[in-house]
Amino acid sequence: MAPRAFWKGYLKLSLVTCRVAMTPATSEREKVRFHTLNRATGNRIVSRYVDEVSGKPVSEEDEARGYQTGDDSYVLVEDEELDDVALETTRTIDIESFVARDSIGWVYLDKPHYLVPDDEVGAEAFAVIRSAMEETKTAALSRLVMYRRERGVMLEPRGRGLILWTLRYGDEVRHFDGAPEAEEAPDKAALGLVKKLISERTQAFEPEMVHDPVQEGLIDLIASKRKKRPAKKAAKAAAEEPPGGNVVSIMDALRRSLSAEKGKRK
């Protein structure tokens, strides 16, 4: 079942506006999650807000946001007051500019979301914007309030919809110069062998390649406890220390690697 849209609003480009809906592109709902229990009774432990001075529990209707102005003084701010100062970007993705898609490094990309038209009336305008971006290989930049915080977002075409990425702020991204350059150019023969090894291992990406063996082990552990049987122990690969005493020729190592790859396919 498709996830529900957690945000609905408008996509705006100059005078063109269309209704859109957004859903998260990723989910951790399938992950195994644990509750905190009272070991003595087996009952769940619940957390409650309590008054710092009296120690008594505070009901939900009495909880309020407060901004500290002194040691023991606060200014209360109600939800309605927060809504009154909300920016226009709370419900409108107003495209400010376009950039070459490959000009935004992956390190700036934070969380992906799917963006699709929310009604038939705006579907045509949405499709035109998406198709134009696809043909020009551009991404759109805008700002949007998400979770009461305004942040930069990037939109890129994907299939019949758009991917909306929240962007990390500039001061969150660390500069990276990479490894120091080698004094000499790579050996051409070794380079050729590495390229051949890459060719031997190249395959189409499948989501099944990225799996979580710990998650699988937890599921088996829980199932075994429910059935009162021993859980399977995950096979752990022995950690081998790389040979450090002997200097191995990179050419010999690459040739052996290619021979091993050919042996796997037989």
Side-chain angles (χ1 to χ4, degrees), residues 37-221:
L37 305 180
N38 181 340
R39 188 186 296 274
T41 65
N43 299 329
R44 281 183 58 182
I45 296 173
V46 296
S47 58
R48 291 181 178 178
Y49 285 108
V50 298
D51 189 292
E52 184 180 20
V53 177
S54 69
K56 294 181 179 179
V58 179
S59 61
E60 187 175 349
E61 57 267 22
D62 287 331
E63 294 172 13
R65 290 184 179 85
Y67 179 83
Q68 189 168 5
T69 57
D71 290 341
D72 295 308
S73 58
Y74 297 85
V75 172
L76 296 183
V77 180
E78 304 296 341
D79 288 345
E80 297 78 10
E81 294 173 313
L82 289 174
D83 292 336
D84 289 340
V85 298
L87 301 171
E88 185 181 349
T89 49
T90 304
R91 288 291 168 216
T92 303
I93 305 169
D94 192 352
I95 297 176
E96 300 170 358
S97 60
F98 294 90
V99 297
R101 171 59 189 89
D102 57 9
S103 67
I104 300 180
W106 62 267
V107 72
Y108 285 95
L109 305 181
D110 186 18
K111 292 182 180 179
H113 306 77
Y114 295 131
L115 196 68
V116 296
D118 194 34
D119 58 23
E120 294 182 4
V121 176
E124 183 179 359
F126 181 94
V128 170
I129 295 173
R130 181 198 57 77
S131 298
M133 291 170 60
E134 189 172 36
E135 292 183 15
T136 56
K137 294 182 171 58
T138 54
L141 297 180
S142 183
R143 304 194 68 80
L144 181 65
V145 172
M146 298 179 70
Y147 317 113
R148 298 194 183 277
R149 183 183 182 193
E150 188 186 61
R151 55 195 310 160
V153 296
M154 183 199 78
L155 292 82
E156 63 174 334
R158 184 70 57 87
R160 290 183 296 175
L162 293 170
I163 300 291
L164 182 144
W165 287 91
T166 54
L167 298 177
R168 293 188 174 93
Y169 294 99
D171 57 4
E172 294 177 332
V173 177
R174 293 178 175 176
H175 182 66
F176 179 61
D177 289 324
E181 290 189 22
E183 294 182 2
E184 298 179 4
D187 182 81
K188 289 186 178 180
L191 199 59
L193 289 175
V194 172
K195 287 182 178 179
K196 192 172 181 182
L197 191 58
I198 290 173
S199 177
E200 295 285 349
R201 293 197 173 194
T202 299
Q203 57 182 302
F205 173 76
E206 297 290 341
E208 291 74 17
M209 292 180 180
V210 188
H211 70 282
D212 184 356
V214 174
Q215 176 83 355
E216 295 168 2
L218 284 172
I219 292 173
D220 180 67
L221 173 65

Side-chain angles (χ1 to χ4, degrees), residues 243-250:
N246 299 326
V247 178
V248 180
S249 164
I250 187 172

